[in-house]
């Protein structure tokens, strides 16, 4: 099959969160299975600076209609593995910036222009290079206008660019909402300005376009597929999602065992597997040293957390449980960056008991692997979670996750007291009291070493590899075709 992905992030070239991991793994797994895969990403300077992109060659100059003017750009292509071509849509003015979406303080004001240009660039490349895709698969709001722009271009030029289009919602909390003056830059017909098109309470909503106009809509877990049809989790688009219920599927992400495997992970000071866990203790010690935490004897659990510091990730629930961490004999290490207020809260917490609580306020790929391996428990108290990858990584690393019973967390973790087989983690409602109870249950489990070993063993046996997840996508593509 000829499969084209359009996404704003792709591991290892540009990543701010799980979207990059998910698209990267899906694309390479599909390529490995023999499909002809292309991925379109914006030509961020950081992505093009990646060593694997050094061989990128210009394949096209672009002239893109943006409202009543034209903007130029170019397309560079490189191929990191057989069957996989990565097309970068370049325009320095838009993509030669430090952050992908903003400068750390706030989002760039011209994001609507940047991503309309990106989607149009992808469509124009498909047309000019006569790529004739079977499936064009767009991810999240930044790529959400692709299906619509693609059909519009097909009408305009009387050609077929793709047989079917798929749109995946990785997070409905980010919709790409802009003032209506963004609309003319799409050059779409006026009837799409209204409520049956891209309009959302007087504004223009990119994600709504993806949900309404792709042939198939997917999201990243079965439970989240149900949740986003309700007002509680739909972020105002629940009605729009529900209108596509028949074409909506929830497919779980997977993990890439080439990157997330404790037996081979090059970021770890020692490797280990279910058969021999001695390396995990080495990772634990290295983690404590690297974060300047006091040594933790065998009865002192180490809690780890890695996330974007946003409301989504339940950082506030953690902060509201500060006395748990101060009162009990334990260690806590958090790796994350993002929201200034949450970061300050964590910093203050760490400062109140250095040696016991540590914050690494940065993006650090190696440290994220070390926490997955070196912690005794992985804490992920998300308020909502489309899929979540870290709880899968932590299970593979024999680090039982503490998760809320929402979205993909509920679909990928089983509770030690509820699952017939004994479970792989600890689950609780997304409340302060819920997390507190979960932490207490973790203390009890940690004191019962045979039970802990059994939970770890079960967690490490679970198969989250992308092979199964990619097969589910192929099945969906075939059905659509
Ligand atoms: P989301 O996409 O909502 O951020 P996921 O759990 O799907 O959540 O994926 C998060 C990814 O980003 C994981 O690979 C995680 O390790 C990584 N990550 C998050 N914060 C950091 C950080 N500060 N440093 C390194 N990696 C991080
Ligand atoms: C989003 C979600 C996360 C998911 C990731 C990859 O960032 O927040 O839950 O795992 O996308 O699909």
């Amino acid at each position: 099959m000829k499969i084209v992905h359009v996404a704003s992030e792709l591991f290892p070239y540009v990543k701010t969160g799980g979207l990059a991991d998910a698209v990267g793994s899906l694309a390479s797994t599909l390529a490995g299975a023999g499909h002809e895969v292309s991925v379109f990403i914006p030509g961020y300077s950081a992505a093009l600076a990646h060593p694997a992109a050094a061989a990128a060659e210009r394949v096209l100059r672009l002239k893109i209609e943006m409202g009543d003017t034209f903007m130029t750009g170019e397309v560079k292509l490189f191929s990191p593995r057989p069957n996989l071509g990565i097309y970068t849509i370049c325009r320095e003015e838009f993509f030669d910036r430090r952050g992908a979406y903003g400068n750390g303080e706030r989002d760039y004001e011209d994001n609507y222009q940047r991503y309309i240009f990106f989607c149009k660039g992808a469509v124009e490349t498909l047309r000019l290079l006569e790529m004739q895709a079977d499936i064009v698969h767009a991810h999240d709001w930044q790529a959400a206008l692709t299906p619509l722009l693609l059909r519009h271009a097909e009408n305009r030029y009387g050609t077929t660019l793709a047989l079917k289009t798929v749109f995946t919602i990785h997070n409905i909390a980010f919709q790409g909402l802009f003032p209506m003056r963004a609309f003319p830059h799409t050059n779409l017909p006026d009837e799409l300005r209204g409520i049956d098109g891209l309009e959302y309470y007087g504004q223009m909503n990119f994600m709504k376009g993806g949900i309404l106009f792709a042939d198939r809509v997917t999201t990243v877990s079965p439970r989240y597929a149900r949740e986003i049809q309700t007002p509680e989790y739909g972020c105002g688009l629940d009605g729009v999602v529900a209108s596509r219920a028949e074409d909506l599927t929830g497919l779980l992400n997977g993990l890439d065992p080439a990157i997330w495997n404790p037996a081979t992970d090059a970021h770890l000071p020692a490797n280990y597997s279910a058969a021999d866990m001695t390396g995990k203790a080495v990772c634990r010690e290295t983690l404590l040293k690297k974060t300047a935490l006091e040594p933790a004897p065998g009865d002192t659990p180490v809690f780890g957390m890695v996330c974007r510091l946003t409301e989504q990730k339940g950082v506030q629930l953690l902060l509201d449980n500060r006395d748990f961490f101060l009162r009990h004999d334990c260690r806590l290490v958090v790796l994350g960056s993002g929201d200034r207020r949450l970061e300050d809260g964590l910093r203050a917490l760490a400062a109140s008991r250095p040696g016991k609580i540590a914050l690494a306020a940065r993006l650090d790929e190696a440290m994220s692997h070390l926490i997955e391996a070196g912690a005794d428990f992985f804490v992920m108290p998300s308020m909502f979670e489309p899929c979540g990858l870290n709880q899968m990584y932590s299970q593979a690393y024999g680090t039982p996750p503490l998760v809320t019973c929402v979205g993909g967390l509920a679909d990928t973790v089983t509770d030690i007291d509820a699952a017939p087989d004994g479970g792989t983690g600890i689950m609780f409602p997304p409340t302060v009291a819920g997390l507190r109870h979960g932490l207490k249950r973790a203390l009890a489990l940690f004191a019962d070493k045979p039970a802990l070993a059994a939970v770890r063993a079960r967690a490490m046996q679970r198969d989250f590899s992308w092979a199964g997840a990619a097969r589910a996508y192929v099945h969906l593509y075939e059905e659509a075709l």
Side-chain angles (χ1 to χ4, degrees):
M1 228 182 284
K2 265 194 176 180
I3 303 162
V4 172
H5 290 279
V6 186
S8 63
E9 295 187 28
L10 180 68
F11 185 83
Y13 311 102
V14 49
K15 165 170 170 173
T16 73
L19 172 67
D21 294 26
V23 180
S25 307
L26 175 58
S28 23
T29 310
L30 292 171
H35 299 285
E36 203 181 308
V37 182
S38 310
V39 186
F40 284 85
I41 57 172
Y44 304 113
S45 40
L48 288 162
H50 191 279
E57 278 182 30
R58 186 173 69 212
V59 288
L60 211 57
R61 283 183 199 279
L62 291 172
K63 194 171 159 205
I64 303 289
E65 189 179 17
M66 296 282 287
D68 47 19
T69 64
F70 284 84
M71 286 185 172
T72 57
E74 54 184 34
V75 185
K76 289 184 185 157
L77 168 67
F78 62 99
S79 178
R81 60 173 294 164
N83 293 339
L84 180 61
I86 297 177
Y87 292 80
T88 58
I89 305 294
C90 305
R91 178 175 165 87
E92 278 182 17
E93 178 204 353
F94 286 155
F95 302 121
D96 187 8
R97 299 187 189 176
R98 241 157 51 97
Y101 310 126
N103 59 13
E105 295 284 304
R106 66 176 80 88
D107 284 353
Y108 301 125
E109 265 167 31
D110 58 353
N111 272 349
Y112 65 89
Q113 261 186 316
R114 299 171 77 224
Y115 292 104
I116 289 172
F117 181 85
F118 168 57
C119 296
K120 285 188 171 181
V123 171
E124 187 68 351
T125 306
L126 289 172
R127 186 176 78 85
L128 292 174
L129 297 183
E130 297 177 17
M131 291 172 71
Q132 295 182 331
D134 292 308
I135 297 287
V136 167
H137 186 162
H139 301 264
D140 265 357
W141 77 263
Q142 297 89 344
L145 293 181
T146 310
L148 187 55
L149 291 167
L150 183 139
R151 295 302 181 214
H152 183 64
E154 285 180 334
N155 285 342
R156 181 167 172 183
Y157 296 103
T159 175
T160 301
L161 301 177
L163 298 181
K164 293 290 171 189
T165 60
V166 178
F167 176 61
T168 295
I169 302 168
H170 291 263
N171 194 341
I172 207 163
F174 300 98
Q175 300 178 358
L177 209 52
F178 299 98
M180 245 322 163
R181 69 184 148 75
F183 184 82
H185 295 262
T186 63
N187 299 88
L188 288 166
D190 254 0
E191 63 258 29
L192 289 168
R193 234 178 208 284
I195 186 77
D196 296 328
L198 303 180
E199 197 234 3
Y200 180 83
Y201 292 100
Q203 290 192 289
M204 170 173 166
N205 188 318
F206 277 51
M207 185 167 267
K208 185 181 174 195
I211 297 170
L212 283 183
F213 297 105
D215 294 310
R216 292 297 179 100
V217 181
T218 78
T219 186
V220 285
S221 69
R223 183 166 170 141
Y224 195 61
R226 296 192 297 275
E227 286 174 348
I228 55 178
Q229 298 181 53
T230 68
E232 194 182 352
Y233 291 98
C235 299
L237 283 183
D238 35 289
V240 177
V241 176
S243 77
R244 295 298 316 270
E246 274 188 21
D247 299 307
L248 171 70
T249 319
L251 300 177
L252 278 178
N253 289 327
L255 64 72
D256 186 340
I259 302 169
W260 293 100
N261 178 355
T264 52
D265 192 329
H267 291 300
L268 303 184
N271 292 112
Y272 61 93
S273 65
D276 179 1
M277 294 286 279
T278 37
K280 188 163 174 38
V282 179
C283 295
R284 187 177 189 268
E285 249 178 63
T286 308
L287 174 64
L288 293 169
K289 269 199 200 115
K290 280 211 167 161
T291 51
L293 289 176
E294 291 155 14
D299 51 357
T300 304
V302 179
F303 293 97
M305 184 161 174
V306 179
C307 63
R308 292 180 290 112
L309 299 182
T310 62
E311 217 174 295
Q312 171 184 350
K313 301 297 177 181
V315 184
Q316 193 58 48
L317 297 186
L318 190 83
L319 289 173
D320 290 343
N321 271 297
R322 57 170 62 76
D323 38 310
F324 173 91
F325 295 101
L326 297 176
R327 199 170 318 138
H328 291 92
D329 185 23
C330 64
R331 305 281 177 272
L332 169 68
V333 45
V334 181
L335 169 67
S337 66
D339 186 290
R340 186 60 55 79
R341 194 183 56 83
L342 295 172
E343 194 178 310
D344 289 346
L346 287 167
R347 204 182 298 284
L349 178 61
S352 69
R353 262 316 302 280
K356 200 172 173 194
I357 302 170
L359 168 69
R362 57 176 189 269
L363 276 172
D364 187 336
E365 193 73 27
M367 176 67 79
S368 73
H369 286 244
L370 185 61
I371 291 177
E372 294 286 8
D376 296 311
F377 294 101
F378 191 86
V379 187
M380 199 162 173
S382 305
M383 304 305 294
F384 65 93
E385 196 60 73
C387 179
L389 298 170
N390 279 306
Q391 81 284 7
M392 296 196 241
Y393 301 158
S394 81
Q395 289 176 79
Y397 281 59
T399 306
L402 270 58
V403 299
T404 44
C405 46
V406 298
L409 300 176
D411 284 341
T412 54
V413 178
T414 51
D415 186 88
I416 52 169
D417 289 333
D421 73 343
T424 60
I426 293 175
M427 207 178 289
F428 45 86
T431 60
V432 177
L435 173 57
R436 172 168 301 248
H437 188 54
L439 289 164
K440 285 192 177 151
R441 291 174 65 207
L443 291 183
L445 177 62
F446 198 67
D448 181 349
K449 291 293 185 276
L452 177 65
V455 175
R456 285 183 169 162
R458 268 192 302 275
M460 293 177 88
Q461 268 162 20
R462 295 210 50 183
D463 179 13
F464 291 117
S465 80
W466 259 103
R471 270 198 301 277
Y473 277 101
V474 171
H475 184 70
L476 179 114
Y477 297 157
E478 282 169 350
E479 254 184 19
L481 290 167

